[in-house]
Amino acid sequence: MNNHPLLPNHFAGRWQTATDEGTTLFDPVLGTPLVRVGRAGLDLAEGFTYAREQGGAALRALNYKQRAALLTDVVKVLQANRDAYYEIATANCGTVTRDSAVDIDGAIFTLGYYAKQGDALGEAHCLLDGERIRMAKDPVFQTQHVMNPTRGVALFINAFNFPSWGLWEKAAPALLSGVPVIVKPATATAWLTQRMVKDVVDAGVLPAGALSIVCGSSAGLMDQLKPFDVVSFTGSAETARIIRSHPAIAERSVRCNIEADSLNSALLDPTATDGDEAFHLLVSEVVREMTVKSGQKCTAIRRIFVPRALYEPAAKAIAAKLSKCTVGNPRNEGVRMGALVSREQFDGVTSGIAHLKTEAEVLYDGQPTPLVDADANVAACVSPVLLGSRDPESAKVLHAVEVFGPVATLMAYDNEEQAYALVRRGEGSLVCSLYSSDPAFCARATLALADSHGRVHAISPDVAAVQSGHGNVMPMSLHGGPGRAGGGEELGGLRALNFYHRRSAVQASTAALDILAQSASPFQP
Ligand code: NAP
């Protein structure tokens, strides 16, 4: 008999505990069992109907300003319980405090941002998209595009690496739009998501049915989706394929957003030298991206492109900084980088590195530095690994395999056009960062690369002190990417509301449109 607490699900408006033993979650550093999650015995149809009917109706009865106030209330609840979240993150995600903050405080910041944006939408119940357009010479008959909250439920199927931010960056625009949320967190790190939902539900700040959680198996969740529901998936490209081909999407036109994996790039200006500030900015950012959350960020830099003459200086400079990164138990204050989230991920990263090595040389692998306060046979800790290729054009694996850990590959390029072509070999990525003192290069590279990236992050010395970071996803900027990154779009300020609204063209008399406008707010993302 397993004595670790079995966490209940909040579903169909009540707390429900699985009728089986569930799955045990572990501390990835100590290897000790923590809690259990599961959903055996839940009536899925009942829970989806409850959220859709009770939660949806209650949220839609409120206006944007009132729903924005709900987000402010959620922020207060999360802030009041912040210490507990940090403890759970240390135990279940193996992260140092600084990395837990990216997930926990990043979520609170995003909720606060949408609370403010939503408040400015005022007391409206729908949004006006653009201006009226005359349909005839006589302006009495016009068309106005309007956006109304969809009358369905938003199902979130989330990845393991952001149990907090992954929930709230989606829930903030959904709840603000008036759409109830059902979240299914990734099993390995579900505890933090469950605890946050528990705190918010127990505080009674949201209407019944507005926020539900189902931990454990995803089986059957997609089967519940109906035409006005939406599903937002974050995870691997492999699972994304299964989601996309589900009948809910293929046959019932359920709206689907996919955030999948990505081989993000950092590109140094072809005219840079190793004495330039741009060079040092790239080196620092690469090291930060490799080590924050042990490289378990979908936006992390995986491929680094430098002019051929700087391949060796860059390798040396990055390796020198990586050698200062202490790895081990996040409870030890001397540790800078904690663990991967599980031993399974450890195995995946180890075999991924071996795969990349078939096309790359090892420039740094952290050996023989021992782990701090952690047993290498138990802890899911890996040292940062910098690989390198002097011939990235003939490489295949390096542009195709995402190793979800503290791993990146340095690559040499010969000219600007070749650099763009190599970056584009990622076949669609979340983000590309540029490092240059030349604004003309930044503009040129942006034109060459923006269509294959959800975000272009151009860093020059004048923005060094204020820039937001290659991998940080900010709520005012779009997150998502074309092609293998999934083709999705999240955040981007009020653009996020698009996904949770249905756009209609209203063709009517000026008098009718005037009355409609009284319930609406202009939509200016
Ligand atoms: P995953 O294995 O694809 O799992 C993602 C989610 O899907 C989990 O909740 C998982 O549940 C669930 N799932 C698994 N099989 C399913 C199925 N057949 N039907 C429906 N749901 C299913 O991905 P992961 O390993 O958690 O996450 C790592 C990946 O996510 C990386 O590739 C990373 O790049 C990507 N990621 C992308 C973004 C982005 O914004 N683009 C952000 C974060 C992560 P269980 O946990 O219970 O299996």
Side-chain angles (χ1 to χ4, degrees), residues 22 25 30 72 89 93 96 140 142 150 156 175 216 238 246 293-294 296 313 341 399 408 416 427 430 452 465 484 509:
L25 311 191
L30 307 176
T72 304
C93 305
V96 294
V140 73
Q142 305 195 57
T150 190
F156 302 156
L175 295 171
E238 205 181 328
H246 190 279
K293 284 185 72 70
S294 302
Q296 298 168 109
V341 299
H399 303 291
E416 201 170 311
E427 297 194 332
L430 295 171
S452 57
R484 78 169 279 166
S509 71

Side-chain angles (χ1 to χ4, degrees), residues 156-162 165 169-170 184-189 215-222 233-240 242-243 246 258-262 264 296-299 302 345 402 404 430 473 479-481 484-486 490:
F156 302 156
I157 300 178
N158 282 355
F160 65 76
N161 58 335
F162 281 108
W165 177 82
E169 61 105 10
K170 293 172 200 246
K184 185 266 182 266
T187 300
T189 57
C215 298
S217 167
S218 56
L221 292 177
M222 295 284 297
F233 169 79
T234 301
S236 63
E238 205 181 328
T239 314
I242 299 172
I243 303 268
H246 190 279
I258 303 251
E259 300 286 340
D261 56 25
S262 174
N264 312 295
Q296 298 168 109
K297 270 180 28 247
C298 52
T299 48
R302 306 289 177 201
Q345 284 304 310
E402 181 206 46
F404 210 57
L430 295 171
V473 177
H479 174 59
R484 78 169 279 166
E490 288 181 344

Side-chain angles (χ1 to χ4, degrees), residues 380-464:
C381 293
V382 278
S383 292
V385 174
L386 180 69
L387 302 173
S389 168
R390 292 161 202 265
D391 181 20
E393 222 167 53
S394 65
K396 289 194 174 68
V397 174
L398 299 182
H399 303 291
V401 174
E402 181 206 46
V403 178
F404 210 57
V407 185
T409 307
L410 181 69
M411 308 193 195
Y413 72 83
D414 293 308
N415 58 64
E416 201 170 311
E417 286 311 313
Q418 188 200 35
Y420 298 150
L422 287 168
V423 169
R424 294 175 69 95
R425 293 272 303 274
E427 297 194 332
S429 304
L430 295 171
V431 49
C432 172
S433 54
L434 311 169
Y435 301 84
S436 172
S437 303
D438 176 10
F441 168 74
C442 292
R444 214 164 50 239
T446 300
L447 278 177
L449 297 170
D451 72 297
S452 57
H453 292 81
R455 178 159 60 88
V456 176
H457 181 71
I459 300 309
S460 43
D462 54 326
V463 301

